[in-house]
Amino acid sequence: MSAPPVSCAWAPWWSPEQRRRFLSHVESVVQARFGEHTLDEDEGTVAVEKMDCVLGLSNLAQTCRAAEPDDWRLIIYSHVARLDDFAPDALAERLGEYERVLPDLRVRVVSAQHLSHIDAVRDPLPLGLSACLSVDLDGAACPVDRSYFNDWGVEHGEVMAVALANTLMGAPMTEEDASEVSGKFQVFTGDSLFVSGHLLDFARTVPDIGTHGAVVTVPAAHTVMVCPVGLNEKFVDHSATMLAASYVRYLAGPNSVSPNALWWRPDHPLAGFARMDDQCFELAAPEPLRSQLWEGLRSAGS
């Protein structure tokens, strides 16, 4: 097996030797459990023929990164074994009837990489994000392929509304108590992979937010970060601090979603606020907010 490129995007923190060790464990476990497979080292995926599915390795790599190398194989085995729940026959039985699957429907915010191998039922969001219809498979998140949805005979909006209601009830969030961020921004976390779905009905989480709303990020599936928008220099400092903290969480994972930031306002669709990667920062806020922020900064400086 050839060594992955040094700039391996799905696990940039590892040396080539560490990635080779990780991938060797992955291939060994997948081969023993499911047989024929195809490893794409550049993309960080394994296509399992028997399961007719593609397993992304970035989240698994993040989990292993936080563990001792001697524990990697067991972690990988536990993760790969969950593919049994995604077998075509098992999914067809579970997703075949709308009334049967309805209690397990959820919605979560994901990035494009989560949907690259499936025709998912989703609502597009700014900056490459989507609200993805999913099924809670005993803690695992399975995006719903359009082939199943088309057989249900239910309107898209109705299904997404049901999934969101299930998410808000079944994936609670709590605010982290961290003195270093107090008064600057808020961090909400939960145990479920569907915590990010709260972003689609955020008014109940931050009922006292002002009319200008808040900058929000979803660095990982279990985490939502919120900085109320103020038209002053203090907001610029606080939002910059939050974006930096969010980017660190995005890199650390596990279950990373996006480093980008959105602008949330009550009774408005989500808009882009900032696009980030390891090379640059781009303010993507709509013009009205840009102008208001600029005027606020000018007033503060005068």
Side-chain angles (χ1 to χ4, degrees):
M1 182 175 66
S2 60
V6 173
S7 58
C8 196
W10 56 272
W13 54 82
W14 275 340
S15 68
E17 180 180 354
Q18 289 172 314
R19 285 193 292 271
R20 282 196 297 269
R21 178 174 183 177
F22 171 78
L23 291 174
S24 177
H25 283 314
V26 169
E27 287 209 279
S28 176
V29 170
V30 171
Q31 178 64 42
R33 180 90 182 189
F34 299 111
E36 292 297 318
H37 63 278
T38 302
L39 174 68
D40 187 326
E41 300 178 23
D42 292 334
E43 294 296 324
T45 62
V46 173
V48 183
E49 295 182 15
K50 181 179 178 181
M51 296 290 107
D52 189 26
C53 70
V54 178
L55 174 66
L57 299 177
S58 59
N59 288 337
L60 178 57
Q62 289 175 334
T63 301
C64 286
R65 180 194 183 196
E68 294 295 328
D70 288 345
D71 296 329
W72 286 5
R73 187 176 181 84
L74 179 58
I75 292 170
I76 292 168
Y77 178 84
S78 297
H79 187 87
V80 169
R82 295 303 304 270
L83 284 181
D84 287 331
D85 294 331
F86 294 79
D89 291 344
L91 285 180
E93 180 179 357
R94 190 151 188 175
L95 305 184
E97 298 180 19
Y98 176 63
E99 294 299 328
R100 179 178 178 182
V101 74
L102 189 150
D104 298 323
L105 290 178
R106 302 287 187 272
V107 64
R108 67 178 186 142
V109 175
V110 299
S111 61
Q113 67 180 5
H114 290 89
L115 308 176
S116 58
H117 299 281
I118 185 173
D119 183 15
V121 179
R122 65 186 185 90
D123 289 329
L125 301 175
L127 303 183
L129 295 171
S130 294
C132 179
L133 181 67
S134 305
V135 175
D136 183 356
L137 295 179
D138 302 320
C142 175
V144 175
D145 189 277
R146 196 165 297 278
S147 61
Y148 293 110
F149 169 77
N150 290 340
D151 290 336
W152 292 346
V154 185
E155 292 295 326
H156 177 97
E158 177 184 338
V159 173
M160 295 299 284
V162 168
L164 179 57
N166 289 347
T167 300
L168 298 176
M169 291 291 293
M173 296 192 306
T174 57
E175 183 177 356
E176 286 188 359
D177 183 14
S179 58
E180 64 271 17
V181 306
S182 178
K184 299 178 181 179
F185 57 90
Q186 296 168 282
V187 181
F188 296 94
T189 60
D191 296 328
S192 167
L193 287 170
F194 306 103
V195 160
S196 59
H198 282 263
L199 197 58
L200 305 175
D201 189 13
F202 218 49
R204 67 181 65 197
T205 304
V206 285
D208 299 326
I209 209 76
T211 57
H212 296 299
V215 173
V216 294
T217 64
V218 186
H222 302 83
T223 306
V224 177
M225 304 177 76
V226 186
C227 182
V229 172
L231 306 181
N232 51 50
E233 189 174 3
K234 183 180 294 186
F235 164 71
V236 174
D237 291 340
H238 290 177
S239 61
T241 301
M242 186 189 80
L243 294 181
S246 179
Y247 192 66
V248 170
R249 293 199 183 208
Y250 165 75
L251 292 177
N255 297 302
S256 295
V257 176
S258 175
N260 298 327
L262 303 177
W263 181 28
W264 177 87
R265 288 176 294 168
D267 303 317
H268 287 76
L270 287 163
F273 180 80
R275 183 180 288 106
M276 294 178 288
D277 58 33
D278 59 353
Q279 301 295 325
C280 66
F281 169 89
E282 176 190 355
L283 184 65
E287 177 52 37
L289 180 59
R290 288 172 179 257
S291 299
Q292 289 173 328
L293 287 174
W294 177 242
E295 287 300 321
L297 289 174
R298 287 180 58 184
S299 298
S302 61

